[in-house]
mmCIF file of all heavy atoms in Angstrom:
data_model
loop_
_atom_site.group_PDB
_atom_site.id
_atom_site.type_symbol
_atom_site.label_atom_id
_atom_site.label_comp_id
_atom_site.label_asym_id
_atom_site.label_seq_id
_atom_site.Cartn_x
_atom_site.Cartn_y
_atom_site.Cartn_z
ATOM 1 N N TRP A 496 33.407 -63.074 49.010
ATOM 2 C CA TRP A 496 34.858 -63.124 48.891
ATOM 3 C C TRP A 496 35.237 -64.330 48.043
ATOM 4 O O TRP A 496 34.463 -65.260 47.883
ATOM 5 C CB TRP A 496 35.515 -63.215 50.280
ATOM 6 C CG TRP A 496 36.990 -62.922 50.256
ATOM 7 C CD1 TRP A 496 38.013 -63.792 50.473
ATOM 8 C CD2 TRP A 496 37.602 -61.669 49.976
ATOM 9 N NE1 TRP A 496 39.231 -63.170 50.344
ATOM 10 C CE2 TRP A 496 39.008 -61.857 50.035
ATOM 11 C CE3 TRP A 496 37.111 -60.399 49.664
ATOM 12 C CZ2 TRP A 496 39.914 -60.825 49.807
ATOM 13 C CZ3 TRP A 496 38.020 -59.377 49.436
ATOM 14 C CH2 TRP A 496 39.397 -59.591 49.510
ATOM 15 N N GLY A 497 36.429 -64.297 47.466
ATOM 16 C CA GLY A 497 36.904 -65.428 46.687
ATOM 17 C C GLY A 497 36.052 -65.665 45.450
ATOM 18 O O GLY A 497 35.624 -64.735 44.772
ATOM 19 N N GLN A 498 35.766 -66.947 45.166
ATOM 20 C CA GLN A 498 35.040 -67.285 43.952
ATOM 21 C C GLN A 498 33.629 -66.700 43.896
ATOM 22 O O GLN A 498 33.213 -66.209 42.839
ATOM 23 C CB GLN A 498 34.979 -68.817 43.784
ATOM 24 C CG GLN A 498 34.477 -69.275 42.420
ATOM 25 C CD GLN A 498 35.367 -68.756 41.293
ATOM 26 O OE1 GLN A 498 36.604 -68.861 41.357
ATOM 27 N NE2 GLN A 498 34.771 -68.195 40.256
ATOM 28 N N PRO A 499 32.860 -66.693 45.008
ATOM 29 C CA PRO A 499 31.541 -66.053 44.940
ATOM 30 C C PRO A 499 31.614 -64.574 44.550
ATOM 31 O O PRO A 499 30.762 -64.084 43.812
ATOM 32 C CB PRO A 499 30.988 -66.226 46.358
ATOM 33 C CG PRO A 499 31.679 -67.449 46.873
ATOM 34 C CD PRO A 499 33.065 -67.398 46.304
ATOM 35 N N LEU A 500 32.633 -63.874 45.023
ATOM 36 C CA LEU A 500 32.799 -62.468 44.642
ATOM 37 C C LEU A 500 33.117 -62.354 43.160
ATOM 38 O O LEU A 500 32.517 -61.537 42.438
ATOM 39 C CB LEU A 500 33.910 -61.828 45.477
ATOM 40 C CG LEU A 500 34.287 -60.390 45.116
ATOM 41 C CD1 LEU A 500 33.103 -59.452 45.322
ATOM 42 C CD2 LEU A 500 35.478 -59.923 45.949
ATOM 43 N N ARG A 501 34.025 -63.169 42.673
ATOM 44 C CA ARG A 501 34.383 -63.124 41.248
ATOM 45 C C ARG A 501 33.169 -63.453 40.371
ATOM 46 O O ARG A 501 32.945 -62.828 39.332
ATOM 47 C CB ARG A 501 35.528 -64.097 40.962
ATOM 48 C CG ARG A 501 36.870 -63.643 41.531
ATOM 49 C CD ARG A 501 38.024 -64.469 40.980
ATOM 50 N NE ARG A 501 37.988 -65.838 41.470
ATOM 51 C CZ ARG A 501 38.566 -66.239 42.584
ATOM 52 N NH1 ARG A 501 39.210 -65.380 43.357
ATOM 53 N NH2 ARG A 501 38.500 -67.509 42.966
ATOM 54 N N ASP A 502 32.392 -64.429 40.824
ATOM 55 C CA ASP A 502 31.206 -64.805 40.044
ATOM 56 C C ASP A 502 30.227 -63.638 39.941
ATOM 57 O O ASP A 502 29.690 -63.355 38.866
ATOM 58 C CB ASP A 502 30.514 -66.010 40.698
ATOM 59 C CG ASP A 502 31.335 -67.282 40.578
ATOM 60 O OD1 ASP A 502 32.257 -67.327 39.724
ATOM 61 O OD2 ASP A 502 31.065 -68.227 41.352
ATOM 62 N N TYR A 503 29.993 -62.963 41.066
ATOM 63 C CA TYR A 503 29.036 -61.848 41.027
ATOM 64 C C TYR A 503 29.574 -60.691 40.176
ATOM 65 O O TYR A 503 28.810 -60.055 39.437
ATOM 66 C CB TYR A 503 28.718 -61.355 42.437
ATOM 67 C CG TYR A 503 27.771 -60.172 42.416
ATOM 68 C CD1 TYR A 503 26.417 -60.352 42.160
ATOM 69 C CD2 TYR A 503 28.240 -58.873 42.615
ATOM 70 C CE1 TYR A 503 25.543 -59.268 42.104
ATOM 71 C CE2 TYR A 503 27.377 -57.791 42.567
ATOM 72 C CZ TYR A 503 26.031 -57.995 42.306
ATOM 73 O OH TYR A 503 25.173 -56.918 42.238
ATOM 74 N N LEU A 504 30.863 -60.412 40.271
ATOM 75 C CA LEU A 504 31.426 -59.271 39.550
ATOM 76 C C LEU A 504 31.374 -59.445 38.034
ATOM 77 O O LEU A 504 31.516 -58.463 37.295
ATOM 78 C CB LEU A 504 32.866 -59.013 40.006
ATOM 79 C CG LEU A 504 33.011 -58.470 41.429
ATOM 80 C CD1 LEU A 504 34.480 -58.311 41.793
ATOM 81 C CD2 LEU A 504 32.282 -57.140 41.581
ATOM 82 N N ARG A 505 31.157 -60.665 37.575
ATOM 83 C CA ARG A 505 30.993 -60.856 36.130
ATOM 84 C C ARG A 505 29.738 -60.140 35.619
ATOM 85 O O ARG A 505 29.613 -59.889 34.427
ATOM 86 C CB ARG A 505 30.927 -62.347 35.791
ATOM 87 C CG ARG A 505 32.253 -63.067 35.966
ATOM 88 C CD ARG A 505 32.231 -64.464 35.343
ATOM 89 N NE ARG A 505 33.516 -65.114 35.490
ATOM 90 C CZ ARG A 505 33.835 -65.957 36.471
ATOM 91 N NH1 ARG A 505 32.916 -66.265 37.386
ATOM 92 N NH2 ARG A 505 35.030 -66.514 36.537
ATOM 93 N N SER A 506 28.827 -59.818 36.535
ATOM 94 C CA SER A 506 27.605 -59.118 36.133
ATOM 95 C C SER A 506 27.760 -57.601 36.220
ATOM 96 O O SER A 506 26.779 -56.868 36.025
ATOM 97 C CB SER A 506 26.432 -59.566 37.006
ATOM 98 O OG SER A 506 26.627 -59.165 38.360
ATOM 99 N N TYR A 507 28.959 -57.113 36.489
ATOM 100 C CA TYR A 507 29.181 -55.683 36.702
ATOM 101 C C TYR A 507 28.562 -54.820 35.600
ATOM 102 O O TYR A 507 27.896 -53.812 35.875
ATOM 103 C CB TYR A 507 30.679 -55.398 36.807
ATOM 104 C CG TYR A 507 31.047 -53.933 36.694
ATOM 105 C CD1 TYR A 507 30.810 -53.055 37.749
ATOM 106 C CD2 TYR A 507 31.612 -53.428 35.524
ATOM 107 C CE1 TYR A 507 31.127 -51.702 37.647
ATOM 108 C CE2 TYR A 507 31.926 -52.086 35.407
ATOM 109 C CZ TYR A 507 31.690 -51.227 36.473
ATOM 110 O OH TYR A 507 32.002 -49.890 36.350
ATOM 111 N N ASN A 508 28.743 -55.193 34.344
ATOM 112 C CA ASN A 508 28.240 -54.378 33.232
ATOM 113 C C ASN A 508 26.716 -54.392 33.110
ATOM 114 O O ASN A 508 26.157 -53.695 32.264
ATOM 115 C CB ASN A 508 28.864 -54.823 31.914
ATOM 116 C CG ASN A 508 30.274 -54.288 31.755
ATOM 117 O OD1 ASN A 508 30.583 -53.186 32.199
ATOM 118 N ND2 ASN A 508 31.136 -55.072 31.123
ATOM 119 N N HIS A 509 26.055 -55.171 33.958
ATOM 120 C CA HIS A 509 24.584 -55.218 33.943
ATOM 121 C C HIS A 509 23.971 -54.643 35.221
ATOM 122 O O HIS A 509 22.780 -54.788 35.450
ATOM 123 C CB HIS A 509 24.115 -56.670 33.761
ATOM 124 C CG HIS A 509 24.416 -57.222 32.405
ATOM 125 N ND1 HIS A 509 23.485 -57.280 31.390
ATOM 126 C CD2 HIS A 509 25.576 -57.720 31.885
ATOM 127 C CE1 HIS A 509 24.051 -57.792 30.309
ATOM 128 N NE2 HIS A 509 25.314 -58.075 30.580
ATOM 129 N N VAL A 510 24.790 -53.969 36.027
ATOM 130 C CA VAL A 510 24.343 -53.452 37.328
ATOM 131 C C VAL A 510 24.133 -51.945 37.254
ATOM 132 O O VAL A 510 24.907 -51.222 36.632
ATOM 133 C CB VAL A 510 25.376 -53.793 38.422
ATOM 134 C CG1 VAL A 510 25.040 -53.075 39.725
ATOM 135 C CG2 VAL A 510 25.421 -55.293 38.660
#
Side-chain angles (χ1 to χ4, degrees):
W496 195 249
Q498 191 60 48
L500 175 62
R501 289 192 291 271
D502 291 342
Y503 178 76
L504 290 178
R505 290 192 178 95
S506 66
Y507 166 75
N508 281 326
H509 291 261
V510 171

